[in-house]
Amino acid sequence: VTSVSIPEGEQNLFGVSDGMQGLFNTGLLGALILTVLGSITWQLVASAYPIAFLNNPITYLFLCIILFLEATGVCSGAWAIASIHKKLACFQHDEVHIGTAEERAQKEMNDDSKHINCGPGHVVKLPCFADNAILPLQSVSMLQ
């Protein structure tokens, strides 16, 4: 629907070069224009007539469906990216490396909160952050 097919030997659309006509023939340009116009048109209507737009029962139905989908988290692209990263990086649960809480207690490896220097009043330096900073910031970081 959005592509143009010009047979060999005929003049290109708008008199453009053969390379540009090849781009027109793919339909990519038409799809891009339709996507932009299709998405911006509703935004312009909604900004010009917000009350009328939101009072439309179809808009309200779409809004309820979209908010429900957003609440489920199905549309979150971050979940898909995190899942792929987890498989590529071969992540494992903490229990694989340090054991469960019961196993640590059995080996007398209990958590000791006295050795944890964090919380209010304990600034934690980021590793290699101050070392790579510009000179004025390095002098400030040494004061801490």
Side-chain angles (χ1 to χ4, degrees):
V1 173
T2 60
S3 64
V4 177
S5 181
I6 303 229
E8 290 290 326
E10 289 197 25
Q11 187 178 7
N12 290 344
L13 188 64
F14 304 122
V16 297
S17 66
D18 290 336
M20 186 60 82
Q21 185 60 47
L23 178 67
F24 290 161
N25 289 346
T26 64
L28 182 65
L29 186 63
L32 181 67
I33 290 170
L34 283 176
T35 302
V36 169
L37 288 178
S39 66
I40 198 73
T41 303
W42 290 106
Q43 292 175 16
L44 291 173
V45 169
S47 67
Y49 308 103
I51 302 299
F53 186 77
L54 290 174
N55 280 338
N56 187 343
I58 295 172
T59 303
Y60 181 74
L61 177 68
F62 283 153
L63 180 65
C64 289
I65 292 169
I66 289 168
L67 288 175
F68 172 75
L69 285 175
E70 182 68 29
T72 63
V74 170
C75 300
S76 242
W79 289 104
I81 293 170
S83 176
I84 292 168
H85 183 231
K86 179 181 174 182
K87 289 180 180 157
L88 289 175
C90 300
F91 287 146
Q92 296 176 338
H93 292 284
D94 288 342
E95 288 80 14
V96 174
H97 302 286
I98 61 172
T100 62
E102 293 82 17
E103 291 172 352
R104 289 194 312 271
Q106 209 172 37
K107 295 178 184 177
E108 296 180 4
M109 297 173 53
N110 293 336
D111 297 332
D112 189 5
S113 60
K114 295 176 188 171
H115 296 292
I116 300 174
N117 294 325
C118 65
H122 294 93
V123 178
V124 179
K125 287 187 178 181
L126 296 174
C128 300
F129 182 73
D131 301 335
N132 297 329
I134 58 174
L135 290 176
L137 288 179
Q138 284 182 4
S139 64
V140 170
S141 69
M142 298 302 171
L143 297 175
Q144 294 179 349

